[in-house]
C-alpha cells in the first residue's frame, strides 16, 4: 500500500490484522493500526482505485467486505459488504487501463466484477468456465497489458485481461 509518501504492509491472519509502515530496507517500521475482526477471513487483498486504498476480504462462509485504508496507515470505515454464492478458491484484483476489477474463481467457474472508486463492487463484466480447477493464480502487467497466471498441480496457463474487464485469449500454457 502506498500513500502519503510511505509504504504500508497489511497483515491478515484469521481474525487478527495489523498495518505497519514498510521501511526502505525491507524491515517493518511502527505499527500504525491493529485490530480483530468479528469473522475469520481466509482470503484478502488491498487495491488502489483513483488514489484511494481499500481492503477486500472474504470468509469461509462467503461473507465479504471492503474497507477503506486511510492516510497514516489506519483502517477506515466499511464501504461495502455482502455474500457470494460460493467460496472462491482464487480471488485477486486486476487493473486494466486504470479500470479495476476483482477476478473470482470458484471451482472451474470464474467471473469478473468491477471495483469502484467509492469502495463497492460494481457490475459483472465477464464470466465463464475453465476446463481445469486452478489452485494458484495472480495478476501481472507487461508493457501496459494485463495478464493472469493460473496453475493447478499439473498445468499452467497465462491469459490476457482486456478493457472493460473481459477475459481475453489464452496466451500460452504448459505442464508443471
Amino acid at each position: 500500500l502506498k500513500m502519503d509518501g510511505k509504504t504500508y504492509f497489511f497483515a491478515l491472519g484469521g481474525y487478527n490484522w495489523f498495518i505497519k509502515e514498510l521501511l526502505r530496507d525491507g524491515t517493518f517500521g511502527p505499527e500504525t493500526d491493529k485490530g480483530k475482526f468479528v469473522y475469520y477471513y481466509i482470503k484478502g487483498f488491498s487495491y488502489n482505485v483513483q488514489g484511494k486504498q481499500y481492503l477486500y476480504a472474504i470468509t469461509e462462509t462467503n461473507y465479504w467486505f471492503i474497507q477503506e485504508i486511510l492516510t497514516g496507515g489506519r483502517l477506515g470505515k466499511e464501504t461495502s459488504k455482502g455474500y457470494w454464492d460460493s467460496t472462491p478458491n482464487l480471488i485477486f484484483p486486476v487493473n486494466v487501463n486504470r479500470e479495476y476489477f476483482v477476478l473470482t474463481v470458484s471451482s472451474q467457474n470464474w467471473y469478473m466484477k468491477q471495483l469502484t472508486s467509492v469502495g463497492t463492487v460494481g457490475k459483472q463484466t465477464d464470466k465463464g468456465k475453465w476446463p481445469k480447477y486452478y489452485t494458484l493464480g495472480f495478476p501481472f502487467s507487461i508493457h501496459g497489458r494485463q495478464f493472469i497466471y493460473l496453475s493447478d498441480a499439473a498445468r499452467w496457463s497465462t491469459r490476457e485481461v482486456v478493457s472493460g474487464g473481459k477475459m481475453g485469449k489464452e496466451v500460452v500454457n504448459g505442464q508443471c
Side-chain angles (χ1 to χ4, degrees), residues 30-91:
E31 189 170 80
T32 57
D33 204 359
K34 68 178 179 177
K36 190 171 188 171
F37 289 126
V38 174
Y39 297 102
Y40 184 85
Y41 290 94
I42 57 170
K43 291 179 177 63
F45 59 83
S46 63
Y47 65 98
N48 178 311
V49 177
Q50 297 179 1
K52 288 187 172 185
Q53 294 280 348
Y54 294 99
L55 167 69
Y56 178 106
I58 186 165
T59 69
E60 55 195 8
T61 60
N62 306 337
Y63 174 78
W64 62 270
F65 79 93
I66 298 174
Q67 208 161 338
E68 188 172 3
I69 300 175
L70 304 171
T71 301
R74 295 177 335 276
L75 200 54
K77 67 177 181 154
E78 192 174 84
T79 57
S80 190
K81 63 183 175 183
Y83 285 89
W84 292 131
D85 293 335
S86 59
T87 303
N89 45 304
L90 296 174
I91 189 164

Side-chain angles (χ1 to χ4, degrees), residues 86 93 102 105 108 116 148 156 161:
S86 59
V102 56
V105 181
Q108 293 171 271
T116 71
I148 59 169
W156 58 268
V161 180

Side-chain angles (χ1 to χ4, degrees), residues 18 65 85 102 128 130 132 135 142 148 170:
F18 68 82
F65 79 93
D85 293 335
V102 56
W130 284 316
K132 301 282 182 199
T135 56
I142 298 177
I148 59 169
E170 182 176 58

